Amino acid sequence: DTGVSQDPRHKITKRGQNVTFRCDPISEHNRLYWYRQTLGQGPEFLTYFQNEAQLEKSRLLSDRFSAERPKGSFSTLEIQRTEQGDSAMYLCASSQGPGVGYGYTFGSGTRLTVV
Amino acid sequence: DAKTTQPNSMESNEEEPVHLPCNHSTISGTDYIHWYRQLPSQGPEYVIHGLTSNVNNRMASLAIAEDRKSSTLILHRATLRDAAVYYCILRDGGTGTASKLTFGTGTRLQVTL
């Protein structure tokens, strides 16, 4: 297993366009998390899945954002009608279980630039 | 989630030990202390975690104060590849499901020759 994969690594889009990012977690990990990180800040939690169920969403996740994990494997994060404030690194992580002993494995992220 | 306080930045010389402090004066009895680090242009990676006792692994050591209100991540011999932002995070492990990772701004470690 090569870890958590995110695609694309970079995305430049015009304001108002829709974008979709993909995350492939480690195969035996049933928890999947999305975070957003802006320059100089730590990652901020967006949402997470237990298998295919989306269990928590942050207030940061506006109506323009939607995340899915249709078969409990890969996940997608879609941003509709992008705004310049959406420019950030979007990070995906997975973990093997809910216990405190299970660390998160992060991908390298998708850097979004909205022009 | 209980809050942690870390210095914004620290510097170290290569091959010297580095002690990265973290204060968590409002820690609760079921909070575990986790450390992650983020290398440039990468996602965060797990370093170490502990509850009460000091912990060692191949990457680092974690020294936890007796009253648990502070902890120190110890890199025994810093290398240039250890230059990163280090995050100290508390996770409530009181139930079977731990709280999610909540990141602060961390400590940016610079390592020089």
Side-chain angles (χ1 to χ4, degrees), chain B residues 48-90:
Chain B
I48 201 167
H49 79 279
L51 181 62
T52 56
S53 304
N54 295 344
V55 185
N56 300 297
N57 66 20
R58 64 175 179 80
M59 289 181 70
S61 295
L62 176 60
I64 301 173
E66 197 169 331
D67 64 4
R68 301 210 322 126
K69 295 187 175 183
S70 65
S71 61
T72 302
L73 180 71
I74 302 166
L75 307 179
H76 295 286
R77 286 185 65 195
T79 71
L80 295 177
R81 287 175 292 183
D82 291 319
V85 179
Y86 287 78
Y87 298 98
C88 171
I89 302 166
L90 300 182

Side-chain angles (χ1 to χ4, degrees), chain B:
Chain B
D1 292 322
K3 187 176 171 58
T4 63
T5 304
Q6 300 177 253
N8 288 334
S9 63
M10 292 184 65
E11 285 188 25
S12 174
N13 296 321
E14 198 177 22
E15 300 191 3
E16 295 290 319
V18 181
H19 291 232
L20 297 163
C22 181
N23 287 318
H24 27 79
S25 57
T26 59
I27 191 170
S28 75
T30 54
D31 283 332
Y32 285 71
I33 302 157
H34 289 246
W35 284 82
Y36 280 71
R37 72 178 185 179
Q38 188 170 20
L39 303 172
S41 300
Q42 294 189 30
E45 64 173 341
Y46 169 83
V47 177
I48 201 167
H49 79 279
L51 181 62
T52 56
S53 304
N54 295 344
V55 185
N56 300 297
N57 66 20
R58 64 175 179 80
M59 289 181 70
S61 295
L62 176 60
I64 301 173
E66 197 169 331
D67 64 4
R68 301 210 322 126
K69 295 187 175 183
S70 65
S71 61
T72 302
L73 180 71
I74 302 166
L75 307 179
H76 295 286
R77 286 185 65 195
T79 71
L80 295 177
R81 287 175 292 183
D82 291 319
V85 179
Y86 287 78
Y87 298 98
C88 171
I89 302 166
L90 300 182
R91 291 187 76 192
D92 184 1
T95 66
T97 300
S99 57
K100 61 185 177 292
L101 288 179
T102 301
F103 292 83
T105 52
T107 296
R108 181 172 298 278
L109 175 66
Q110 290 183 295
V111 181
T112 55
L113 292 170

Side-chain angles (χ1 to χ4, degrees), chain A:
Chain A
D1 198 351
T2 57
V4 177
S5 299
Q6 292 191 246
D7 184 69
R9 288 296 308 274
H10 303 274
K11 178 72 176 177
I12 300 174
T13 190
K14 292 184 179 179
R15 189 174 51 186
Q17 297 294 306
N18 299 343
V19 294
T20 300
F21 310 140
R22 177 179 170 124
C23 171
D24 286 272
I26 293 173
S27 57
E28 63 266 26
H29 286 188
N30 54 37
R31 289 209 156 195
L32 186 147
Y33 307 83
W34 285 99
Y35 282 77
R36 181 174 71 184
Q37 186 173 27
T38 54
L39 201 61
Q41 302 298 314
E44 297 173 295
F45 170 78
L46 292 178
T47 187
Y48 87 90
F49 293 83
Q50 169 90 14
N51 299 313
E52 65 272 14
Q54 189 173 16
L55 295 187
E56 185 177 346
K57 292 194 289 187
S58 163
R59 289 173 298 171
L60 293 174
L61 213 65
S62 75
D63 291 345
R64 296 184 297 106
F65 288 69
S66 63
E68 293 183 342
R69 194 182 182 198
K71 296 183 180 178
S73 56
F74 73 92
S75 176
T76 58
L77 177 68
E78 181 184 16
I79 309 174
Q80 296 182 326
R81 304 181 304 281
T82 52
E83 302 172 355
Q84 287 189 320
D86 297 330
S87 295
M89 175 75 82
Y90 290 84
L91 293 161
C92 175
S94 67
S95 69
Q96 199 167 355
V100 73
Y102 293 108
Y104 290 21
T105 302
F106 282 83
S108 295
T110 294
R111 181 167 296 285
L112 173 66
T113 302
V114 181
V115 297

